[in-house]
Amino acid sequence: VPIPVTPGLDPLSLLTDDADIATWNNQGLPSDRMSTENATILCSTERWPLIVDAQLQGVKWIKNKYGEALKAIRLGQRSYLDIIEQAISDGNPLLIENIGETVEPVLDPLLGRNTIKKGK
């Protein structure tokens, strides 16, 4: 049985609107379609998004979008695990920059969202 599809349907128009796109552009996101699609995925996802950003345009946009609330770290810097733990506990945005092809095993539970909620 074929799946019915509306001709000319643009998934991007279902997930975002012109006001969101204009706000993102004002925050430094390039106005090309691919950047808009990536921003839509980043803002709509329930998982941890991974951005491959060779020109650092996405990083600039994320830093402008979240401002002072964003913690930016690099793996291997001093007490980076404590910073990650604090950001997750407080619900603050966290940007981990320059991740290589492999990730340290200590981060596997985090990436798989195998976290434990403790009552407050």
Side-chain angles (χ1 to χ4, degrees):
V1 176
I3 298 173
V5 177
T6 304
L9 179 66
D10 182 18
L12 192 60
S13 66
L14 296 174
L15 296 172
T16 190
D17 58 19
D18 291 337
D20 289 335
I21 295 170
T23 302
W24 297 337
N25 291 337
N26 287 336
Q27 292 168 339
L29 184 73
S31 58
D32 62 287
R33 173 134 178 128
M34 181 174 287
S35 296
T36 302
E37 289 172 352
N38 288 332
T40 302
I41 292 169
L42 183 119
C43 293
S44 301
T45 186
E46 300 226 354
R47 300 293 251 166
W48 314 114
L50 173 66
I51 298 174
V52 177
D53 188 23
Q55 297 175 342
L56 300 178
Q57 293 172 333
V59 170
K60 177 184 168 194
W61 169 67
I62 290 171
K63 288 181 177 180
N64 287 334
K65 178 176 177 48
Y66 292 103
E68 296 296 319
L70 179 72
K71 298 281 186 189
I73 64 167
R74 293 172 187 248
L75 295 181
Q77 80 180 40
R78 181 186 299 157
S79 70
Y80 76 95
L81 288 175
D82 295 331
I83 296 169
I84 292 172
E85 180 182 1
Q86 188 67 38
I88 292 171
S89 296
D90 295 342
N92 293 331
L94 175 72
L95 175 66
I96 303 175
E97 297 180 299
N98 294 339
I99 293 180
E101 289 183 24
T102 59
V103 179
E104 295 183 30
V106 72
L107 295 177
D108 285 343
L110 175 67
L111 295 175
R113 289 234 171 169
N114 299 328
T115 56
I116 300 170
K117 293 183 181 180
K118 292 186 179 177
K120 268 190 175 179

